[in-house]
Amino acid sequence: MESHAALTSETATIMNADSAANSLSKRRRPGETLIQGFLFLCGVISILTTIGIVYELGKEALLFFRTDGVTLTEFFTSTKWQPAIGDFGIWPLVTATLMTSAIAMLVALPLGLATAVYLSEYASDKTRSILKPILEVLAGIPTVVYGYFALTFMTPLLRSIFGDGVVQIFNTASAGIVVGILIIPLVSSMSEDALHAVPNSLRQAAFGLGATKLETALKVVVPAALSGITAAFVVAISRAVGETMIVAIAAGAGPKFTFNPFESAETMTGHIVRISGGDLSYDSVDYNSIFAIGLLLFFMTLSLNMLSRRIVTRFREVYE
Amino acid sequence: MSHYPEGDALLAQINGRHRRGAIWRTLFLSATIIAVLVLIALLYNVVNSAFGLTAVENKVDPASLAVDGVPLEELSKEQLVNILAAHISTGLGRRLERDQLFFETQTVFEDPALFNELCASAEPPAACALPARSQEDVYRLVLERVVEPNVVQTWSLADSVLHRSAVLAQAQQEFPDAEISFRSWLTPAFITTPQSSEPELAGVRTAILGSLWVIAITIAFSFPIGVGAAIYLEEYAQPNRINSLIQTNINNLAGVPSIIYGMLGLAIFVRVMEGFTSGAALGLMDDSTTANGRTILSAGLTLGLLILPIIIINAQEAIRAVPGSLRQASLGLGATKWQTIWHHVLPNALPGILTGAILSMSRAIGETAPLVVVGASTFITVDPSGPFSKFTVLPIQIYQWTSRPQAEFRNIAAAAILVLLVLLLTLNATAVYLRNRYSTRMA
């Protein structure tokens, strides 16, 4: 009897413990919820940043378009940007931006892709381990240093090649070439990742059919990685469009509607830096105008980045 | 039915294909080598300007200022003040004295009674609150105001070494009065002296301190928030619309040009939150400045927003790399979700998180454009005293010096670039060290 009673009490204890365990797992933990809430807020800050960018740029841009004498039509059609006499046509700034970006892509596209192909298809492990860190160093150098390089090295170089009379001290060619150098590491590392993702069986198959290394690389591997490479180019264009310090230092001050790469011209970013670097009063048209330019720049880079992501997801070849 | 070549034609075709392969291989290799050459050219270009021969003309020969054979830099403060008093106008002397006194107890240029009166007035000059100038400080003033060294020409390092005799002959002919010497623009004094309008006396002290202040605020703001957001996205977030919106949004923010962040900072931190960022709301407004929200705090927060997406993406990768078995083991032993994250996931992800944070920090240190927009000061000689001071940073200083037409400013810009590159190198080396150290310990 006694032992039986002891047994039941023991069972009861176990059962009690069991139910306690149940309640433990179901217990409300305000600390945990609080932490989760805080972490969620951290994530939300990024959304607030985007809203802040769109709201603030939009608000000031709206003020700009409400100013007397400024119209949307003029903004998008006129080829003169002279705030002093009330001319607000965005084209001189846009053409300068497009010119530096185009020159940059002419430099970065072939060099970046060739570097990627070499590193991924040809280089031995040892060569890779030397070359990759060098590219990373290039990518880590601040853009203001590249600006100095453009002004004190690239411009004199261009002038000695083409003549002082042809090349102005500030010119879009020099700025564009250096922007291209700046984005070589970006193009090459993104393209190399894409080339690397191509499965080895494809290369083996090509070799087995008698293709040379070059034929394998250019006719099999590169086409297979094309979506990733294209995405890299699009991101690189967006980077070139948004690049600021190099063009601010080397491309010149003063908006000019020109397609001559050896003349000075001011890009959108260069203009924003020059205007905001001076004494700026918050109620002036100048202040509002840089936000309108900024908004356009934001949408240009945003659509390029979204396009790049779309290319990757839409056209990616998936290999089993 | 296509015709395939046979015999000699086949051999010729194969040889041709191999030759093409070799040519292209060389092209690919040379593209890679171009990247290396550019890096070398960039460094050569900077070093070439940071050192070299200079021709300096002094308005007053410093040797003639020596007293009883003691050279200028070893004179006592009193002797230096006497030299200063003998050479500069009383008006300039008064101005210097109002900036900072020469002696604790007496005035040199200013009428003592008037000075006391000024100190008691509503807007006392800076000197009333500051200690007296040091010997070093007065020596600098003598150099700046009396000796007035003027660099008439500089030569690059390559010219100075390779064509030394030609350069010297040319200098003798063109500047007979000038003193020609080999000069390193990067000296200990360059790092410890504040900004000056004379390139040969200018330094980067205020810029270095400004950079350190700004970066400290940037990291204090973005590291906790960035890691928090990464934990949320990796450990808590259910795949629903708002969370995928957050993720897409972060990826897009990482591609926004830095200058846009500068404009956001100008609109939000400088204008809307001026009361907070200028310190006025906390009663901490720095009296000696009229920063109006264009402060270290605004700059730090702006850069914080800029590197936030980079920190989040890196931290996410580090957290994702922690094996799921670790989490399940911890949860299986009865740990709560947060205990699992805090005690097991985070320590294992830490090397990756830290590396990402340091790399984004070096990105922030080199950023120039957003800080120009936020409103870095063009000329300050006073050390920043806190988050509510006006600021300048190293890249801004480089930008301003590069934009000047005079050659000497290019030289000090090059010296400042070397300082910046060494700073970045140190940071990146720390990142590599941390990564190696912690990853071996965890393994």
Side-chain angles (χ1 to χ4, degrees):
Chain A
M1 269 309 257
E2 248 178 25
S3 70
H4 182 74
L7 206 67
T8 39
S9 91
E10 207 170 285
T11 325
T13 331
I14 289 168
M15 283 179 65
N16 270 341
D18 206 26
S19 70
N22 274 335
S23 70
L24 201 64
S25 74
K26 280 182 191 143
R27 189 199 288 170
R28 285 176 168 275
R29 297 174 193 278
E32 295 269 326
T33 323
L34 205 70
I35 287 170
Q36 184 170 353
F38 169 76
L39 296 176
F40 176 70
L41 281 184
C42 292
V44 166
I45 283 191
S46 79
I47 292 197
L48 291 182
T49 311
T50 311
I51 295 175
I53 290 175
V54 175
Y55 174 76
E56 282 298 334
L57 294 185
K59 190 185 76 181
E60 300 289 343
L62 209 63
L63 283 176
F64 169 69
F65 287 118
R66 280 208 190 128
T67 319
D68 286 338
V70 182
T71 59
L72 260 175
T73 341
E74 187 202 359
F75 188 72
F76 283 115
T77 54
S78 165
T79 54
K80 277 204 190 106
W81 182 276
Q82 282 161 321
I85 56 167
D87 279 333
F88 291 100
I90 191 74
W91 279 106
L93 302 174
V94 171
T95 49
T97 301
L98 293 182
M99 246 182 6
T100 50
S101 310
I103 295 170
M105 291 316 291
L106 283 181
V107 173
L109 219 143
L111 287 179
L113 184 56
T115 308
V117 172
Y118 182 78
L119 286 178
S120 146
E121 304 299 313
Y122 288 92
S124 67
D125 282 351
K126 199 174 168 205
T127 330
R128 270 173 60 93
S129 71
I130 298 169
L131 289 175
K132 280 214 84 166
I134 292 180
L135 287 174
E136 275 165 24
V137 169
L138 263 184
I141 289 176
T143 55
V144 69
V145 179
Y146 278 105
Y148 178 88
F149 179 67
L151 189 63
T152 62
F153 185 90
M154 198 51 78
T155 303
L157 187 70
L158 288 179
R159 294 188 100 191
S160 69
I161 295 174
F162 296 101
D164 285 4
V166 180
V167 185
Q168 298 185 352
I169 293 188
F170 299 105
N171 61 79
T172 40
S174 158
I177 293 172
V178 177
V179 172
I181 292 169
L182 169 82
I183 54 182
I184 287 178
L186 179 79
V187 174
S188 76
S189 82
M190 278 183 76
S191 307
E192 202 206 330
D193 286 345
L195 293 174
H196 228 83
V198 175
N200 243 331
S201 54
L202 253 72
R203 293 187 186 87
Q204 306 295 356
F207 290 143
L209 288 171
T212 63
K213 199 151 197 181
L214 174 75
E215 288 158 354
T216 311
L218 290 192
K219 293 180 183 163
V220 176
V221 184
V222 169
L226 204 59
S227 70
I229 294 172
T230 319
F233 289 165
V234 177
V235 168
I237 298 174
S238 134
R239 182 78 202 276
V241 167
E243 174 43 46
T244 309
M245 287 328 285
I246 299 174
V247 293
I249 291 175
K256 195 146 120 200
F257 188 68
T258 173
F259 288 101
N260 181 351
F262 295 136
E263 277 183 33
S264 80
E266 197 168 47
T267 66
M268 297 160 77
T269 50
H271 185 74
I272 297 175
V273 162
R274 183 168 63 87
I275 295 300
S276 58
D279 279 331
L280 194 60
S281 94
Y282 294 144
D283 301 322
S284 62
V285 185
D286 273 345
Y287 178 82
N288 294 333
S289 74
I290 61 171
F291 282 86
I293 301 171
L295 192 65
L296 185 60
L297 185 68
F298 176 71
F299 282 123
M300 279 167 82
T301 53
L302 185 71
S303 39
L304 283 171
N305 287 331
M306 281 160 77
L307 177 68
S308 150
R309 220 172 294 282
R310 235 192 141 75
I311 290 171
V312 174
T313 47
R314 276 289 288 284
F315 300 105
R316 183 170 48 193
E317 309 266 347
V318 182
Y319 301 99
E320 292 300 319
Chain B
M1 186 85 188
S2 62
H3 292 279
Y4 291 101
E6 281 169 23
D8 283 350
L10 175 68
L11 214 62
Q13 195 226 31
I14 289 180
N15 280 339
R17 284 163 65 200
H18 279 290
R19 208 169 323 119
R20 231 170 300 137
I23 293 171
W24 277 86
R25 190 200 151 100
T26 323
L27 282 180
F28 291 145
L29 179 62
S30 24
T32 318
I33 287 174
I34 286 178
V36 179
L37 286 181
V38 166
L39 183 64
I40 293 171
L42 198 146
L43 294 177
Y44 163 81
N45 185 45
V46 171
V47 171
N48 203 14
S49 299
F51 308 93
L53 287 171
T54 52
V56 181
E57 279 177 355
N58 292 327
K59 198 170 154 210
V60 176
D61 185 10
S64 72
L65 293 174
V67 180
D68 304 329
V70 181
L72 192 61
E73 63 265 32
E74 286 169 23
L75 291 178
S76 70
K77 189 162 99 178
E78 287 72 21
Q79 286 168 313
L80 286 169
V81 171
N82 285 339
I83 293 174
L84 203 59
H87 284 85
I88 66 174
S89 70
T90 326
L92 177 61
R94 281 204 193 117
R95 225 180 64 216
L96 292 173
E97 196 149 46
R98 278 182 205 179
D99 286 344
Q100 200 174 355
L101 283 171
F102 288 97
F103 301 105
E104 292 291 354
T105 47
Q106 62 179 100
T107 56
V108 185
F109 299 94
E110 193 77 69
D111 179 41
L114 182 67
F115 186 77
N116 287 336
E117 212 170 284
L118 272 176
C119 275
S121 73
E123 280 179 38
C128 304
L130 292 170
R133 291 176 190 269
S134 62
Q135 189 264 353
E136 250 171 77
D137 204 13
V138 180
Y139 172 67
R140 243 169 54 80
L141 277 180
V142 170
L143 277 188
E144 197 174 325
R145 304 285 178 181
V146 181
V147 177
E148 286 191 42
N150 183 23
V151 175
V152 283
Q153 179 143 19
T154 64
W155 289 270
S156 68
L157 180 63
D159 283 345
S160 308
V161 176
L162 300 175
H163 314 290
R164 191 182 170 88
S165 51
V167 165
L168 288 179
Q170 182 208 350
Q172 285 288 320
Q173 201 186 350
E174 283 181 34
F175 315 106
D177 299 334
E179 187 186 325
I180 300 167
S181 59
F182 188 84
R183 179 173 179 138
S184 156
W185 292 89
L186 179 65
T187 55
F190 181 72
I191 293 165
T192 52
T193 50
Q195 160 81 294
S196 159
S197 54
E198 300 289 321
E200 44 289 332
L201 300 174
V204 287
R205 178 196 172 95
T206 34
I208 291 179
L209 288 173
S211 273
L212 294 178
W213 267 107
V214 169
I215 211 67
I217 287 175
T218 302
I219 274 299
F221 169 72
S222 60
F223 185 74
I225 292 180
V227 176
I231 295 173
Y232 174 76
L233 288 171
E234 286 303 312
E235 303 288 331
Y236 288 96
Q238 310 291 330
N240 59 24
R241 195 178 279 177
I242 179 142
N243 293 330
S244 78
L245 180 71
I246 293 179
Q247 186 68 64
T248 322
N249 185 49
I250 288 169
N251 294 339
N252 281 330
L253 276 181
V256 171
S258 58
I259 191 164
I260 302 284
Y261 284 98
M263 303 178 85
L264 178 70
L266 175 64
I268 302 276
F269 299 129
V270 176
R271 288 193 67 189
V272 178
M273 292 166 66
E274 184 184 335
F276 169 63
T277 50
S278 66
L282 307 170
L284 289 171
M285 185 112 119
D286 206 329
D287 286 333
S288 61
T289 64
T290 44
N292 296 333
R294 298 176 171 233
T295 55
I296 285 178
L297 185 61
S298 298
L301 292 177
T302 305
L303 291 187
L305 284 184
L306 170 71
I307 63 170
L308 198 56
I310 313 173
I311 290 194
I312 296 178
I313 291 171
N314 279 314
Q316 272 186 286
E317 267 169 33
I319 291 172
R320 216 175 295 146
V322 176
S325 55
L326 217 69
R327 293 185 187 86
Q328 277 140 27
S330 167
L331 291 172
L333 285 172
T336 65
K337 189 147 197 169
W338 176 246
Q339 285 166 342
T340 306
I341 293 169
W342 184 251
H343 293 286
H344 302 285
V345 177
L346 278 186
N348 275 287
L350 198 63
I353 294 177
L354 282 183
T355 314
I358 293 177
L359 291 182
S360 52
M361 220 166 117
S362 51
R363 158 101 195 262
I365 285 191
E367 262 322 326
T368 323
L371 297 187
V372 177
V373 179
V374 166
S377 300
T378 42
F379 190 82
I380 39 174
T381 53
V382 191
D383 289 350
S385 57
F388 304 115
S389 307
K390 288 199 281 192
F391 72 100
T392 185
V393 292
L394 263 175
I396 297 275
Q397 204 62 260
I398 295 168
Y399 170 50
Q400 278 158 4
W401 283 336
T402 307
S403 315
R404 301 260 194 129
Q406 300 97 321
E408 307 92 83
F409 283 105
R410 300 275 163 82
N411 296 118
I412 51 175
I417 287 175
L418 286 180
V419 175
L420 180 63
L421 291 183
V422 168
L423 197 66
L424 289 176
L425 203 67
T426 321
L427 268 180
N428 288 337
T430 320
V432 173
Y433 172 77
L434 278 178
R435 185 170 52 192
N436 292 346
R437 190 189 143 138
Y438 280 94
S439 47
T440 46
R441 201 198 274 172
M442 299 284 167

